[in-house]
Amino acid sequence: MNSEMLKDLNELAKHQQYLTRHPQLRYLFFELTDRCNLACLHCGSSCDQHNCQYLDLNDIRKVLLDVRENFSVLPQICLTGGEPLLYPQLEEFLTMVNQLGFPWGMTSNGMLIDEKTARMLIDQNAYSISISLDGLPEAHNYLRHSHLAYQKAVEGINNLVRYGKGKTVIQITSVVSQLNINQLEEIYRLAESLNVDSLRLVNIEPMGRALLYPQLLLQKADYRKLFDFIAEKRSRKDATMEVTYGCSHYLTAEYEGKLRDHYFLCAAGIYVASITAGGDIVSCLDIERRPELIQGNIRTDKLSEVWYKGFSLYRLDHSRQSPRCRSCKEKRFCRGDSYHSYDFANHQPLLCMKDILE
């Protein structure tokens, strides 16, 4: 680790300590519904078409008014699910978000984005829309459990680009697994051909439904292959499309600063809060749904009060509780790593890139 990086990481470690005492809500996620029109093999929330919870629009309005009144800087509203386009009052919700002055973005599987829907999303001032596309047709359809998933996702992306290019950041998110680790160049070329603004590559995580399919998880050598690929694409001066790694995981001195525009910081509970489809107040929606991690419910609690008085478990340095982390010389930089891949029962990270890479 060179002296400049060490200085940067030490400054970030100090800033993380500051944020645990002075959290700043920058992103507010709404799981509008836990229902989905797909049943993806890697889904962290194990969503499918049989789920049937929907957030009440009046409850959402109360949350947004509370946030608008009690936070000096409005967070970005991030829509997810399940599949957010299955929410029956989506257009009414977006109109309300715009009227209250919140920026917003969305993640979707893209299957329901026909021309009319794409135009509506763009006209409703979407800041960013990320569509899941996990490689070539065979891999994507297998992972998404539908023979139409690839075709519909590409159609959705094309519709968004047609109406939203230059107005909305249009991104492809690809989950990298054993199905597509050898298709990285093809995924890049596909994203380029679709004229999107950004390609976000994330590794499949050992959580949710993916735990039922361990054969999909990456091997140690695969992570280095993925990281080297992203680093090479980001170093190109002639690139017309941003390539980035997801927000997860401390990547060690070898890769920190090379794969994304910032050093690792798990934002759960310090920058991020979320509302589940059942109204529970949590942090990152990818984190395991454990009772002790639920901070309240929007039907009985004000989000602003919960944000400032709750979330204490999210603001701990988990590396201090983990026997696996205590002796690590870099624990002050990762603090136990990403909460969504943290084993709260056994107090250890499920994925440690330092162990994997070294």
Side-chain angles (χ1 to χ4, degrees), residues 18-194:
Y18 171 83
L19 288 173
T20 61
R21 302 186 301 273
H22 306 280
Q24 302 168 8
L25 184 60
R26 293 185 179 179
Y27 301 98
L28 177 56
F29 283 77
F30 283 95
E31 184 183 59
L32 293 178
T33 175
D34 62 354
R35 184 166 174 253
C36 189
N37 49 353
L38 294 175
C40 304
L41 303 188
H42 67 290
C43 180
S45 304
S46 299
C47 295
D48 60 31
Q49 62 182 335
H50 302 295
N51 293 351
C52 57
Q53 290 190 102
Y54 297 90
L55 278 172
D56 183 83
L57 191 62
N58 287 324
D59 289 336
I60 296 174
R61 182 179 286 108
K62 291 176 184 177
V63 172
L64 294 178
L65 289 173
D66 170 37
V67 171
R68 195 167 184 267
E69 180 181 352
N70 292 292
F71 291 85
S72 57
V73 178
L74 296 184
Q76 178 170 317
I77 303 301
C78 306
L79 309 184
T80 183
E83 171 50 52
L85 287 172
L86 290 173
Y87 188 67
Q89 296 173 286
L90 180 61
E91 190 167 1
E92 186 177 352
F93 168 79
L94 294 177
T95 298
M96 178 175 63
V97 166
N98 280 312
Q99 288 175 344
L100 292 174
F102 289 89
W104 70 273
M106 183 179 76
T107 60
S108 170
N109 60 38
M111 293 192 67
L112 300 175
I113 302 181
D114 55 17
E115 292 191 19
K116 180 181 178 182
T117 302
R119 191 186 293 272
M120 182 274 289
L121 294 172
I122 303 304
D123 288 347
Q124 288 283 6
N125 302 313
Y127 171 77
S128 65
I129 300 176
S130 183
I131 305 298
S132 301
L133 191 61
D134 304 314
L136 303 183
E138 184 178 0
H140 181 81
N141 288 344
Y142 180 83
L143 190 64
R144 300 280 162 175
H145 229 232
S146 167
H147 69 284
L148 292 175
Y150 179 88
Q151 174 190 335
K152 290 294 185 180
V154 169
E155 288 176 3
I157 292 166
N158 283 331
N159 288 329
L160 289 171
V161 170
R162 183 177 303 116
Y163 294 112
K165 187 69 174 180
K167 301 177 183 177
T168 297
V169 176
I170 301 166
Q171 181 183 74
I172 287 174
T173 295
S174 293
V175 177
V176 180
S177 68
Q178 288 296 330
L179 294 175
N180 58 11
I181 184 62
N182 295 316
Q183 297 179 1
L184 296 177
E185 187 62 42
E186 288 86 348
I187 293 172
Y188 178 84
R189 291 175 185 170
L190 172 62
E192 240 185 355
S193 71
L194 291 171

Side-chain angles (χ1 to χ4, degrees), residues 91-349:
E91 190 167 1
E92 186 177 352
F93 168 79
L94 294 177
T95 298
M96 178 175 63
V97 166
N98 280 312
Q99 288 175 344
L100 292 174
F102 289 89
W104 70 273
M106 183 179 76
T107 60
S108 170
N109 60 38
M111 293 192 67
L112 300 175
I113 302 181
D114 55 17
E115 292 191 19
K116 180 181 178 182
T117 302
R119 191 186 293 272
M120 182 274 289
L121 294 172
I122 303 304
D123 288 347
Q124 288 283 6
N125 302 313
Y127 171 77
S128 65
I129 300 176
S130 183
I131 305 298
S132 301
L133 191 61
D134 304 314
L136 303 183
E138 184 178 0
H140 181 81
N141 288 344
Y142 180 83
L143 190 64
R144 300 280 162 175
H145 229 232
S146 167
H147 69 284
L148 292 175
Y150 179 88
Q151 174 190 335
K152 290 294 185 180
V154 169
E155 288 176 3
I157 292 166
N158 283 331
N159 288 329
L160 289 171
V161 170
R162 183 177 303 116
Y163 294 112
K165 187 69 174 180
K167 301 177 183 177
T168 297
V169 176
I170 301 166
Q171 181 183 74
I172 287 174
T173 295
S174 293
V175 177
V176 180
S177 68
Q178 288 296 330
L179 294 175
N180 58 11
I181 184 62
N182 295 316
Q183 297 179 1
L184 296 177
E185 187 62 42
E186 288 86 348
I187 293 172
Y188 178 84
R189 291 175 185 170
L190 172 62
E192 240 185 355
S193 71
L194 291 171
N195 199 25
V196 297
D197 301 296
S198 173
L199 171 63
R200 182 172 180 259
L201 296 169
V202 298
N203 55 273
I204 188 170
E205 299 279 358
M207 63 186 195
R209 198 177 282 133
L211 293 172
L212 302 176
Y213 303 93
Q215 69 274 19
L216 295 178
L217 300 180
L218 297 180
Q219 301 300 309
K220 285 191 174 185
D222 298 328
Y223 288 98
R224 188 171 293 280
K225 183 175 185 177
L226 172 61
F227 296 165
D228 285 342
F229 178 83
I230 297 173
E232 188 276 324
K233 294 303 182 187
R234 287 177 63 86
S235 69
R236 290 178 52 178
K237 299 188 185 306
D238 61 341
T240 58
M241 174 183 67
E242 179 196 37
V243 181
T244 186
Y245 181 60
C247 62
S248 305
H249 306 304
Y250 172 68
L251 301 176
T252 76
E254 184 175 3
Y255 290 106
E256 277 294 328
K258 295 181 180 178
L259 306 190
R260 49 198 171 203
D261 294 337
H262 55 84
Y263 290 117
F264 169 72
L265 181 155
C266 184
I270 56 176
Y271 286 148
V272 170
S274 300
I275 313 299
T276 72
D280 286 335
I281 301 170
V282 297
S283 185
C284 171
L285 287 165
D286 286 333
I287 296 175
E288 182 183 3
R289 307 289 172 91
R290 297 174 64 87
E292 69 269 26
L293 297 179
I294 297 172
Q295 303 300 295
N297 191 285
I298 59 172
R299 299 186 184 100
T300 56
D301 303 292
K302 291 183 66 174
L303 176 64
S304 58
E305 294 180 359
V306 172
W307 178 255
Y308 290 115
K309 296 178 182 179
F311 285 92
S312 59
L313 189 58
Y314 293 101
R315 295 164 187 166
L316 295 174
D317 182 346
H318 285 282
S319 68
R320 296 183 178 181
Q321 297 177 290
S322 171
R324 182 177 175 183
C325 299
R326 281 177 193 154
S327 61
C328 177
K329 295 179 180 179
E330 298 178 47
K331 63 183 179 182
R332 66 188 183 281
F333 305 141
C334 81
R335 298 168 61 88
D337 206 70
S338 301
Y339 284 14
H340 79 263
S341 58
Y342 192 80
D343 182 347
F344 286 89
N346 297 300
H347 299 292
Q348 63 178 354

